[in-house]
Amino acid sequence: MASAKAVHCAMLPNRLGTLTRYPERFGALFCTIPLIDMRRYSKLHAGASWVAEYGDPDDPDDWKFLQEISAYHTAVPDRRYPPILIATSRRDDRVHPGHARKMAAKLQAMGYEAYFYEPAAGGHGYGKDNRERASFTALGYNFLRIATC
């Protein structure tokens, strides 16, 4: 099975959180604009406005819960993760692109087949017009097609 998911990939139900918890359920993943590092999310871009929804990572009780759903913190070496393409936008003013950058780098450092895509265009979407959005989406679905064949 392949999966594509946009925005807040780290939250339940999600794809990156599912990747780190149940990697055997997927043949490949295309994760876009992901909120992954739940320890630092509240310090980046619009993250502070989500504390009431997700919890405060600086509160020990909230962090106890958040660390369990933080894909960045639950990714470990020596698990069989499927291939993944993590995509973000350099100009996203809501979900900081650092989430995607960090996760891709961590998975790659652990030896996993993790790919990263970050176009300059976008924002909190996939591009400034339909052509850019279609290109972004096609990239992801082509990755899923190739990775699962």
Side-chain angles (χ1 to χ4, degrees):
M1 174 172 49
S3 179
K5 176 68 175 163
V7 187
H8 299 309
C9 280
M11 303 315 297
L12 297 174
N14 66 78
R15 300 307 180 263
L16 276 180
T18 301
L19 166 73
T20 59
R21 289 171 171 234
Y22 310 105
E24 69 282 355
R25 294 184 183 180
F26 298 94
L29 284 157
F30 173 43
C31 185
T32 62
I33 321 290
L35 178 60
I36 295 171
D37 180 356
M38 298 309 291
R39 172 54 103 183
R40 295 193 32 79
Y41 87 89
S42 62
K43 297 174 179 26
L44 302 170
H45 289 336
S49 67
W50 306 329
V51 168
E53 182 177 354
Y54 299 138
D56 182 352
D58 294 327
D59 177 309
D61 290 332
D62 287 352
W63 175 241
K64 187 175 180 178
F65 166 74
L66 289 169
Q67 71 184 351
E68 296 297 319
I69 64 166
S70 178
Y72 186 76
H73 294 90
T74 57
V76 295
D78 301 323
R79 285 206 71 186
R80 294 190 58 126
Y81 295 135
I84 184 168
L85 172 57
I86 302 172
T88 190
S89 168
R90 191 166 307 143
R91 298 174 189 238
D92 191 331
D93 62 350
R94 285 181 248 169
V95 177
H96 194 285
H99 287 279
R101 293 172 189 153
K102 275 177 72 169
M103 189 64 174
K106 181 176 183 173
L107 290 172
Q108 289 168 352
M110 290 190 293
Y112 293 112
E113 189 177 348
Y115 302 93
F116 179 71
Y117 179 66
E118 182 180 340
H124 193 64
Y126 308 135
K128 68 180 182 298
D129 57 32
N130 286 340
R131 183 176 182 185
E132 287 181 2
R133 286 186 287 276
S135 176
F136 188 94
T137 302
L139 173 81
Y141 286 120
N142 192 50
F143 167 77
L144 292 173
R145 183 184 60 79
I146 291 168
T148 57
C149 288

